[in-house]
Amino acid sequence: MELKDNQSALILEVDEHGEVMVNVASSDIDGLTGSICTALAEKLMGDEQFQEELMEMIDPP
């Protein structure tokens, strides 16, 4: 996937143990889209409540 100069992306990867890794791809990591993706990645990796909410959304009880 090629990103335009004004685009950034979150890249989610799951390893063989089910661990999720989050990476950010951006041609301008300090620009608006890069900053938003970085903030989302940090929240996703660091906020357990947010992680639980996401898991509930994709795997309802």
Side-chain angles (χ1 to χ4, degrees):
M1 171 184 210
E2 249 182 79
L3 296 173
K4 296 179 184 177
D5 289 341
N6 63 345
Q7 295 177 322
S8 298
L10 284 179
I11 301 167
L12 305 178
E13 182 179 345
V14 179
D15 68 13
E16 63 275 0
H17 304 290
E19 289 287 319
V20 176
M21 292 162 280
V22 180
N23 295 295
V24 176
S26 180
S27 62
D28 184 10
I29 200 72
D30 295 321
L32 180 59
T33 61
S35 296
I36 290 171
C37 280
T38 299
L40 286 169
E42 290 173 3
K43 181 157 182 78
L44 182 58
M45 296 307 295
D47 186 331
E48 289 184 27
Q49 183 177 354
F50 184 58
Q51 294 169 10
E52 289 174 16
E53 289 174 19
L54 286 173
M55 296 309 291
E56 288 175 4
M57 292 171 82
I58 61 172
D59 190 24

